[in-house]
Each structure stands twice: as C-alpha cells, then as structure tokens.
Amino acid sequence: MVSSKDENLLKHMTDALIQHIDTGVHIIDDRAQTIYYNTKMAEIEGMKPEDVLEKPIYELFSFMESEESTLYEALTKGKQTVGRRQTYKNQYGDKIATINDTFPVRSEQGNIVGAIELARDVTQLENLIQEHMQKRARTSFTFDHLIGESKALQEVIQDAKRATRTSSSVLIVGETGTGKEIFAQSIHTGSERSAAPFVAQNCAAIPDQLLESLLFGTKSGAFTGAKEQAGLFEQANGGTLLLDEINSLNTPLQAKLLRAIQEKRVRRVGDTKEKEVDVRIIATMNQDPVEAVNEGRLRKDLFYRLSVVSLFVPPLRERKEDIDELISFFITKYNQLFRLGVTDVSTGVLTYLKAYDWPGNVRELEHIIEGGLNFMDAGEKVLKVEHLPGHFKIRILPELEKEEIENENEEAIVSPVNYEEEILPLKTVLYEQERNYVKHALNQYNGNVSKTAEALGLSRQSLQYRLRKLNLNST
Ligand SMILES: Nc1ncnc2c1ncn2[C@@H]1O[C@H](COP(=O)(O)OP(=O)(O)OP(=O)(O)O)[C@@H](O)[C@H]1O
Ligand SMILES: [Mg+2]
C-alpha cells in the first residue's frame, strides 16, 4: 500500500508518464465524457485537449453512429477490442486513421466506470501508402538496365529472361541493393503481361493488419470507416504483383496469400464474395529461404509455391569484376545530372572500391560515386580519394589494412586539412595525413627507409611498421 503522500506523488508520476508516452491515451468516465486526453492523442487527432475534456465523445467525433466508437462500445457493452483500425473525422472534419486497443474499466463491484483507448497513429502511414500507390504505377526497367558482365550475374539474367515466357511465380533472393527490383520489373516488362499493371509492395513496411486490407481490399463497413476499396491483387489484375520481403509477413497472412495464389481468387476484408484474379506473383527476400523456412519465418508450402522459379542474385563482393563497369555507368549518370565532365577514377579510388566488401551492394556503390562527384568542381576530370565521402573511408580502413594498396598517382602529396568542409572522423583525417606525409617523406629520400626514418625521427623498425599499417610500399 502507498501512503497518501506517496499516492499524490504516484498520481503526479502517472500523469507525467501518460503525457510523455508515444501512444495516444483517451480515457472516458461512465457518462462518456473525456477525463484524460494526452498530448500524443491530441497530436494524432488534431484536437486540443481543452476541446475534448469533459465533453461526451459522440459530440466531438463523427463515426458512422456513436455506437461504433470502440470507446463507446467498451463503456456501454463492456466490449474489449485489440488492434482495431478506425477511421473517423475530428471536429474540424480532418480524416484520422488509428489502430486502437480499447477496454472497459470496472469498479471492484464489477460495474463499468469508464473506458480507456490506446491509439497508434496510422494517418501518416496511410498517406504514405497513397503516395506510394501513385508512384508505383510506372515500370521502366528492362534487362538492359542491369549492368555487369560477370558470369555470376549473366547467368541469373539468362534464367530471368526464361521466366518472361511463363506466368509462374518467381522468388528472387538477394541481399539489399543487388537489383532485385530491376529483375522483377524486367521480368514483367519482358513478359506478355507488360501492358497490364506492375504493382509493388514492401511487406515489411506496413503493419500486417493494414497490409491485409491493402493486399486484398476492403468491403465498406468491414470496420468503422472502411471504404469499398480494391486491394493490390485486384489492381494488378492481368499483370504482376511484386511482394518485397515476403518473409516478414505473419503466418496467417502467408496462408491467406498462398490460398489467393492457388485459387486465383481474392476476398476483400469483410466481404463474403470472392473475385477471380489473374496475377503473377514475384516475391523477394534478402535471406536464404531455406533458413527462413527452418526458422519458421516462411511457410514451407508458400515457399514451394513461390519458388517455381528461383533467382539468386549474387552480392557485389562475389562479382567484383562488375565494379569497373558499374563505376563508368554511374559516373556517366551523375555527370549528366551534376553537369560534370568526369572521365576517370584514380588508381587509389579503384583500389579502395575493389577492396571493400559492399554490404549495401550496387546501391551503396552508386551512393559512393554520387557522393564523390558531389565534391568535384566543373573542371575536374579524375575522381580521387580526397573526393570520396569520409564515412566511406572510415568504413574501409580495416579492409585496407588487409589489402596491399598501390601507390596513387595523384599529385596532391600532402593535402591540407580542409577546415571549411564537414567534420570527418579524426581517425580518417589522421590516417590520411600520416599516410600522405610519410609518402611525401619517402619520395624525398627516393624510398630510402633509413634516411626517411631518421628525418621523421623514427627508428627504422618503427617506420617499417608504419609503412605496413599505412599500406605504403617500401622499396
Ligand atoms: N546490376 C545493376 N546495374 C545497375 N544498377 C543496379 C544494378 N543492381 C542494382 N542497381 C541499382 O541499385 C539500386 C538498388 O537496386 P534495387 O532497388 O533493385 O535493389 P533491391 O535488391 O531491390 O534492394 P532492397 O532489398 O534493398 O529492396 C537501384 O538504384 C538500382 O538502379
Ligand atoms: Mg527492393
């Protein structure tokens, strides 16, 4: 038990807690009047607490009928709802979408004395979905957009081209940034479905509950505020539906998806009727599917169904011979965009780029080239190490220590630290400075280690250690 003084303190603390948590909290008393309305809830619903407090909720929010408010149902019927999506309008007519948990609160005698609603905001998420839907209408990629002559990549391209002749499901497995989306679009564009829509959805980006409505559609009244809306299956009818990160779907939804694929029919959420659909499914994942099955993250039956054609896109580190061509490709691209005339990269840059193991694959390489070109001036022709983004240089340090780096044929021997530019990690700056200065000193003494060591005030052994650490060739 707490003393009355402690009770006051506890109430104060609870108030503070409720005001600060990132969940909307709305509490009503037995007359359906708001007695608690936290900051987050005010933000989600676009209302001011003073507009809401001590007013009956059905005066403020327009639901289809007041009874359909989960709060009101909790109060009048003792009904508890979990994870329910609600859409409604606030006093100012703005549309609000939330996912709510609502429950009644009972007195010790068992009478309902009020109700509490906890809400997560999905309005922003839904706006994002709308935007996303409009954007994804276009398909532009074909197999010609896949750069790289390596055998590893070309073999996958050949398999993918074969897949354009059928409507079988395709499973594309590959790390992030390996070009899975280009593959999927190319298969669609190369197939006889190309005139029909290509619709893409990332399954990891959206809560499962919304995703189900998004994929299969909703019937009006399926839940409060639900509109009659076609799902992505229906929107992709005749064409291709790309489902990214399929392994992040929850198991019931995977089962529902499997049924839709097998029976070629979908049923909108809340509907009893089914509709026939003709959709080719391309699914992607960035994890080994067999592992995902073993870990219970991918249903075995769905895996078999999806993997009629499986494409494994190799990571960039396993086809480093593609790096040169990709560099030229991205330089041409960003030359046009930034109005530059870059023709080459220095051997130093090439060594860096070849030494790195590219966890972000082609996307990461593209960003590095784009970032590098950002640091170049109109007249410059050669992309040099100094142009590369600092965060990239610091990431590659450990790998450089393993690799033998060629002497760079760059004229800047001791580059002054530029105090105008962004602050780089000290380790990078010191490494660069030390490396440049030692190289400069070695050049002065024609590569004579003893003389260079003496001039630098180091022992011969200590200089040799540094040369190895700095990946400088000693002669
Ligand atoms: N072989 C390639 N040739 C040219 N550009 C490529 C290639 N592979 C990937 N890219 C480029 O890299 C970026 C990422 O590609 P994409 O979106 O297809 O990757 P993803 O495998 O779908 O990645 P994620 O798993 O993160 O969704 C895009 O800008 C794409 O144009
Ligand atoms: Mg992708």
Side-chain angles (χ1 to χ4, degrees), residues 145-147 175-182 326 362-363 366:
H145 290 92
L146 285 163
I147 307 301
E175 290 177 13
T176 181
T178 46
K180 297 187 292 297
E181 172 108 25
I182 309 186
L326 284 164
V362 182
R363 180 187 288 117
E366 177 169 359

Side-chain angles (χ1 to χ4, degrees), residues 73-292:
E73 279 191 323
L75 187 69
T76 52
K77 300 180 190 156
K79 193 170 156 196
Q80 176 159 342
T81 33
V82 176
R84 167 88 79 92
R85 180 178 172 285
Q86 280 193 301
T87 57
Y88 47 96
K89 289 190 173 143
N90 69 9
Q91 210 182 16
Y92 312 109
D94 305 322
K95 186 185 160 232
I96 298 145
T98 53
I99 288 185
N100 296 340
D101 294 341
T102 315
F103 46 91
V105 182
R106 292 175 196 273
S107 67
E108 277 173 17
Q109 290 76 34
N111 308 323
I112 298 174
V113 292
I116 298 180
E117 181 151 273
L118 304 175
R120 278 161 287 153
D121 189 5
V122 289
T123 312
Q124 281 180 326
L125 199 60
E126 295 204 333
N127 289 341
L128 268 179
I129 294 171
Q130 286 297 326
E131 260 175 49
H132 193 57
M133 285 224 212
Q134 282 150 12
K135 257 198 276 169
R136 71 175 150 218
R138 59 174 171 82
T139 2
S140 38
F141 285 119
T142 64
F143 290 110
D144 293 339
H145 290 92
L146 285 163
I147 307 301
E149 290 304 318
S150 64
K151 192 157 169 277
L153 184 70
Q154 286 302 324
E155 279 178 1
V156 189
I157 295 178
Q158 285 319 312
D159 289 347
K161 281 186 176 165
R162 253 176 254 128
T164 59
R165 296 184 299 218
T166 69
S167 276
S168 310
S169 300
V170 179
L171 179 65
I172 307 178
V173 183
E175 290 177 13
T176 181
T178 46
K180 297 187 292 297
E181 172 108 25
I182 309 186
F183 268 98
Q185 288 196 17
S186 305
I187 293 172
H188 173 77
T189 337
S191 75
E192 55 185 26
R193 297 175 171 262
S194 62
F198 174 88
V199 176
Q201 179 58 49
N202 186 325
C203 301
I206 293 179
D208 284 325
Q209 233 220 340
L210 276 183
L211 194 59
E212 181 173 3
S213 308
L214 193 63
L215 286 176
F216 301 104
T218 46
K219 185 178 163 53
S220 70
F223 42 78
T224 310
K227 283 179 304 207
E228 192 73 40
Q229 173 133 30
L232 298 181
F233 264 93
E234 287 177 61
Q235 289 176 33
N237 203 3
T240 307
L241 176 58
L242 169 64
L243 297 174
D244 269 319
E245 300 194 48
I246 192 83
N247 48 325
S248 65
L249 282 186
N250 67 18
T251 319
L253 211 46
Q254 287 190 18
K256 195 162 174 187
L257 178 66
L258 176 65
R259 223 175 307 123
I261 298 173
Q262 272 171 341
E263 290 164 20
K264 298 188 165 50
R265 286 165 181 281
V266 288
R267 196 169 63 212
R268 293 184 180 180
V269 174
D271 205 345
T272 47
K273 289 190 306 290
E274 292 194 322
K275 281 197 170 75
E276 238 174 78
V277 285
D278 165 30
V279 175
R280 173 182 221 171
I281 301 291
I282 301 183
T284 76
M285 49 194 290
N286 46 29
Q287 188 198 359
D288 176 6
V290 175
E291 215 172 81

Side-chain angles (χ1 to χ4, degrees), residues 47-76:
M47 302 280 281
K48 298 191 195 83
E50 58 265 34
D51 292 341
V52 180
L53 284 169
E54 287 167 32
K55 302 218 173 77
I57 46 164
Y58 41 80
E59 276 182 17
L60 296 166
F61 302 97
S62 48
F63 294 88
M64 312 275 258
E65 287 165 33
S66 63
E67 277 80 9
E68 290 201 53
S69 145
T70 44
L71 253 183
Y72 198 74
E73 279 191 323
L75 187 69
T76 52

